[in-house]
Amino acid sequence: MIDFQNVAYNYGGGELLTDISLRLPPGSFHFLTGPSGAGKSTFLKLCYGELHPTAGRVTVDARDLRSLTRDQVAALRCRIGVVHQDCQFLDHLPVAENIALPLTATGHPVDPADLSALMGWVGLMPLAQHRPPQLSGGERQRAALARAVIMSPDVILADEPTGNLDWDMSLRLLTLLIELNKMGKTVLIATHDLNLIRSAKSQVPVRVLRIRDRRLQLAGSDL
Amino acid sequence: MTRPLRPLIDLLAGDRTADRIVPPSGFTARLTSFTAGAMAFLVVFALALSVAAGRMAERWSDALAQTATIRISAPAAQMQAQTDKVLAILKETPGVAAARALSDDEQKKLLEPWFGPDLPLDALPVPRLIDVRETATGFDADGLKNRLAAEVPGAVLDDHTRWRRPLVAAADRLRLLGLMSILLIGGATAAMITLAANAALAANAQVIRVLRLIGSRDSYIARAFVRRFTLRALSGAAAGTLAGMGAIALMPATDQAGSFLTGLGFQGLGWLLPLLVPPAAALVSFAATRGAALATLRRLT
């Protein structure tokens, strides 16, 4: 579904990614790893059109992201749920409204029963009326995951979703992502947590990609 | 047909969630409401000025058009003879439809505002006035003046144009200035609201970023801002308009003094005119905010 063809990305201070070609097939589960600053977040941003490659092209369903209009990019983002590293909430709205935001902001009705079920799934029902700043790191990440999946997207991208979480909470979040993958969603998680990757490998077939020296490699059996 | 009106229809329909997406900001809210209120107040006065000037120009034009006055200053013994002579000349003058000498009572009434009701007209050397009505084509004023100078030296023709034209022109100019003031106030309102909207958009850059990341269209994001600013402008302008109408209503009545200043105001259905100000302010705000929002969103990547 998402296709990278000889993609390079230049921040202006030098090339961050070079000659990356990759296909994320529907229903696949990928990890993207690499040291801090290697370009993992940039790679994800290229996937949903927040950034455009300086060379090569990124296509979603064979459509070049660069050729899309602003409204088409908006429509694309409804099909790609993103769990951002810093969650990106509207702090003045309650958690429940933040989670429902992709529906309300695109003119879709919100079914209270569905919203409650989703919040229960991520274990946030008692915190529905709290404001995001009142949540812990783990609760914020779970709320971000709930928001990312509320539109039932085809693809879920997660940028360091367990970065600030303890191991138990990380596993819980991983379990949620694996459940989504089993429902047929394509999942790509950017992380440098090798234990998380090992845990996932023991439960579902995953591909592990690594960004090294600006290029994308398939990680070896050490993982 | 409805497509160009879609943004306006959506705006009027409202969206409770969209209203909540942009966090309330006291400063821009107060600035927008105050600006709209103050500008509406000024527009009501400019409108009143314009309407009064228009009314005045019309009245002067109607009252003075096709009329002239002949003033005869002569010793009392010759007054009647000179009056008869002038009336005879007027009868022969082409373009004069009718002419008559004002009676003592009519002249007394004319002088009453200045000298009071007990004016001893027969004891004062008050000139005799002859009211002249012109035909549609009018008469040759210069020719008549020359003939009067030759045959009735004490008679002076005043065809009103000497002072009527500049007065009517001044009133027309005043009306134009009033309308220009309204346009300028509208432009200033749009500029102020655009600045306030830009400040609100800049302050909410993170909100815009989040909305974009989750798949919101620019039109939805713009609407969240536009609706807020439009409603603020509408309520501010409504308050300003009411205050302006109240101030106009409290001005002394025309018949109390009869001057232009006391005639500044609305009459009859004219009082409905200021009620157009709040919707107009809302429309100006809608256009200004929507333009600012869409331009800002286009600039943002």
Side-chain angles (χ1 to χ4, degrees):
Chain A
M1 179 195 179
I2 298 179
D3 227 344
F4 280 59
Q5 294 164 28
N6 307 108
V7 167
Y9 187 79
N10 191 330
Y11 261 116
E15 207 156 58
L16 185 65
L17 301 171
T18 301
D19 196 26
I20 289 178
S21 293
L22 170 75
R23 183 162 185 272
L24 294 179
S28 61
F29 198 126
H30 285 80
F31 279 100
L32 178 65
T33 187
S36 292
K40 298 190 292 293
S41 297
T42 300
F43 184 92
L44 295 187
K45 287 176 182 175
L46 289 167
C47 288
Y48 61 85
E50 188 176 357
L51 295 176
H52 290 300
T54 46
R57 62 186 204 139
V58 179
T59 63
V60 176
D61 289 341
R63 297 183 72 184
D64 191 337
L65 292 191
R66 198 188 291 278
S67 69
L68 300 183
T69 63
R70 302 172 86 87
D71 281 353
Q72 286 171 330
V73 169
L76 172 82
R77 288 179 184 168
C78 294
R79 296 177 51 213
I80 299 180
V82 183
V83 182
H84 299 275
Q85 196 169 2
D86 49 1
C87 295
Q88 303 280 1
F89 290 123
L90 300 185
D91 288 344
H92 64 285
L93 294 182
V95 172
E97 286 189 43
N98 264 288
I99 290 174
L101 201 55
L103 286 173
T104 53
T106 51
H108 292 87
V110 179
D111 183 335
D114 287 350
L115 181 60
S116 295
L118 180 61
M119 295 194 66
W121 179 66
V122 292
L124 290 176
M125 201 53 217
L127 305 174
Q129 293 311 312
H130 282 54
R131 297 288 189 278
Q134 296 174 282
L135 303 185
S136 69
E139 288 162 348
R140 286 171 66 83
Q141 292 290 358
R142 280 183 281 147
L145 178 62
R147 189 183 65 183
V149 302
I150 197 164
M151 294 284 279
S152 192
D154 303 319
V155 180
I156 294 154
L157 308 175
D159 190 2
E160 300 283 6
T162 60
N164 299 314
L165 305 185
D166 59 35
W167 178 240
D168 285 344
M169 191 56 74
S170 297
L171 279 182
R172 194 166 162 186
L173 202 68
L174 177 66
T175 304
L176 294 175
L177 287 164
I178 288 173
E179 276 183 43
L180 289 166
N181 178 245
K182 285 178 177 170
M183 291 160 67
K185 311 292 183 194
T186 306
V187 177
L188 172 61
I189 303 173
T191 181
H192 57 259
D193 186 343
L194 300 185
N195 287 329
L196 189 75
I197 298 172
R198 289 192 188 103
S199 177
K201 282 182 87 171
S202 67
Q203 299 176 64
V204 284
V206 300
R207 283 178 80 194
V208 183
L209 309 166
R210 176 184 286 156
I211 298 176
R212 177 179 283 175
D213 297 332
R214 296 174 285 131
R215 293 175 187 279
L216 196 65
Q217 305 170 338
L218 194 60
S221 59
D222 55 320
L223 296 173
Chain B
M1 171 68 182
T2 58
R3 191 175 167 79
L5 298 176
R6 193 77 241 166
L8 201 58
I9 293 168
D10 289 345
L11 179 105
L12 293 174
D15 182 341
R16 200 186 68 82
T17 313
D19 290 347
R20 286 169 49 77
I21 280 176
V22 180
S25 60
F27 173 69
T28 52
R30 281 195 295 272
L31 182 66
T32 308
S33 299
F34 173 75
T35 301
M39 295 300 185
F41 190 83
L42 294 176
V43 164
V44 171
F45 272 95
L47 206 54
L49 174 76
S50 192
V51 167
R55 206 165 45 221
M56 191 167 60
E58 211 168 285
R59 196 166 57 225
W60 285 344
S61 290
D62 288 350
L64 301 174
Q66 311 293 314
T67 65
T69 307
I70 293 175
R71 193 175 67 246
I72 304 167
S73 300
Q78 297 175 23
M79 184 64 86
Q80 190 56 47
Q82 292 208 13
T83 304
D84 292 343
K85 178 70 178 165
V86 168
L87 288 171
I89 291 171
L90 289 172
K91 208 166 185 179
E92 298 166 1
T93 305
V96 172
R100 71 175 186 89
L102 264 62
S103 68
D104 284 351
D105 281 348
E106 285 173 314
Q107 295 211 166
K108 208 172 194 176
K109 213 168 188 179
L110 283 174
L111 295 171
E112 203 175 276
W114 285 272
F115 297 104
D118 303 322
L119 177 69
L121 202 62
D122 43 357
L124 289 171
V126 177
R128 173 65 59 200
L129 298 178
I130 295 178
D131 181 37
V132 183
R133 302 281 152 179
E134 300 173 31
T135 60
T137 53
F139 57 79
D140 173 10
D142 290 335
L144 183 59
K145 272 179 194 168
N146 290 338
R147 189 172 174 196
L148 288 174
E151 298 182 29
V152 193
V156 177
L157 171 67
D158 179 359
D159 64 359
H160 300 165
T161 50
R162 183 166 44 87
W163 58 279
R164 184 183 72 198
R165 278 192 190 136
L167 276 180
V168 172
D172 280 339
R173 191 67 56 84
L174 205 57
R175 175 165 55 176
L176 189 67
L177 283 174
L179 293 174
M180 277 174 61
S181 301
I182 292 170
L183 288 179
L184 283 173
I185 291 168
T189 306
M192 295 280 280
I193 290 177
T194 300
L195 286 175
N198 278 335
L201 287 160
N204 288 291
Q206 176 61 11
V207 172
I208 293 171
R209 176 178 152 76
V210 171
L211 290 172
R212 279 223 166 126
L213 288 174
I214 60 169
S216 276
R217 290 170 182 236
D218 285 357
S219 54
Y220 178 88
I221 300 170
R223 194 159 65 236
F225 286 91
V226 170
R227 184 171 154 79
R228 177 166 296 187
F229 276 85
T230 303
L231 294 180
R232 281 175 192 164
L234 182 64
S235 58
T241 300
L242 282 178
M245 288 173 75
I248 295 278
L250 288 176
M251 288 190 75
T254 317
D255 54 2
Q256 282 179 9
S259 73
F260 167 69
L261 280 178
T262 53
L264 183 70
F266 305 102
Q267 290 177 357
L269 289 177
W271 280 103
L272 295 177
L273 215 50
L275 299 181
L276 295 174
V277 174
L283 265 179
V284 166
S285 173
F286 171 80
T289 317
R290 187 171 159 80
L294 291 178
T296 301
L297 291 169
R298 267 195 300 272
R299 276 197 303 274
L300 295 173
T301 52

